[in-house]
């Protein structure tokens, strides 16, 4: 099951409630104060990954961090093909595309049309 919390504080609070543990009990387990746990849960402070992982571990959970490739909307294969062209060919292709874009939005072209 994958849960997504908006903030580290919300993640901790949801895990703590899921396990039926009070802030005070978690604080005792962690060797800190209830107010410190409260500040984290209210996002008044941002715990380090190590601290958040340790608190979750005390609740019987593991913190799982992941990085995912983001879709930037850039076609890298198109970029690679364009880089195979000479600088002059790239400029010509760019001007042709600019003319195409202007024609299709109602603007003027850089060259006279017949």
């Amino acid at each position: 099951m994958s849960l997504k919390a908006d903030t580290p504080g919300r993640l901790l609070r949801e895990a703590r409630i899921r396990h039926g543990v009070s802030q005070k009990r978690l604080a005792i387990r962690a060797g800190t104060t209830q107010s410190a746990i409260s500040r984290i849960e209210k996002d008044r402070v941002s715990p380090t990954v190590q601290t958040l992982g340790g608190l979750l571990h005390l609740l019987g959970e593991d913190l799982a961090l992941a990085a995912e490739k983001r879709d930037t909307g850039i076609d890298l294969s198109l970029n690679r093909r364009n880089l195979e062209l000479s600088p002059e060919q790239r400029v010509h292709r760019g001007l042709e595309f600019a003319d195409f874009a202007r024609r299709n939005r109602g603007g003027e072209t850089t060259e006279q049309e017949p």
Side-chain angles (χ1 to χ4, degrees):
M1 169 168 48
S2 176
L3 300 174
K4 294 195 178 207
D6 297 320
T7 64
R10 183 172 289 168
L11 178 70
L12 179 61
R13 182 175 189 277
E14 289 173 0
R16 182 181 58 73
I17 291 170
R18 214 173 19 256
H19 291 279
V21 176
S22 68
Q23 286 182 346
K24 184 175 183 175
R25 176 55 58 197
L26 179 57
I28 291 168
R29 290 180 187 176
T32 189
T33 63
Q34 179 272 327
S35 63
I37 300 297
S38 176
R39 284 192 301 275
I40 292 171
E41 288 186 1
K42 291 180 180 179
D43 293 309
R44 291 189 177 146
V45 297
S46 183
T48 64
V49 171
Q50 183 178 3
T51 297
L52 182 59
L55 292 169
L56 290 170
H57 181 77
L58 293 171
L59 293 169
E61 297 193 8
D62 290 322
L63 177 62
L65 295 177
E68 296 177 354
K69 185 173 172 86
R70 184 171 28 110
D71 181 7
T72 60
I74 298 171
D75 184 349
L76 297 178
S77 63
L78 179 61
N79 285 350
R80 281 190 291 276
R81 283 194 306 270
N82 283 335
L83 289 173
E84 292 172 357
L85 300 173
S86 71
E88 294 82 14
Q89 290 171 316
R90 289 197 301 267
V91 168
H92 182 71
R93 178 178 275 182
L95 290 172
E96 285 178 344
F97 181 77
D99 286 342
F100 168 80
R102 277 191 284 281
R103 277 193 309 272
N104 287 291
R105 71 168 189 209
E108 295 181 22
T109 62
T110 57
E111 297 179 21
Q112 295 293 329
E113 291 186 29

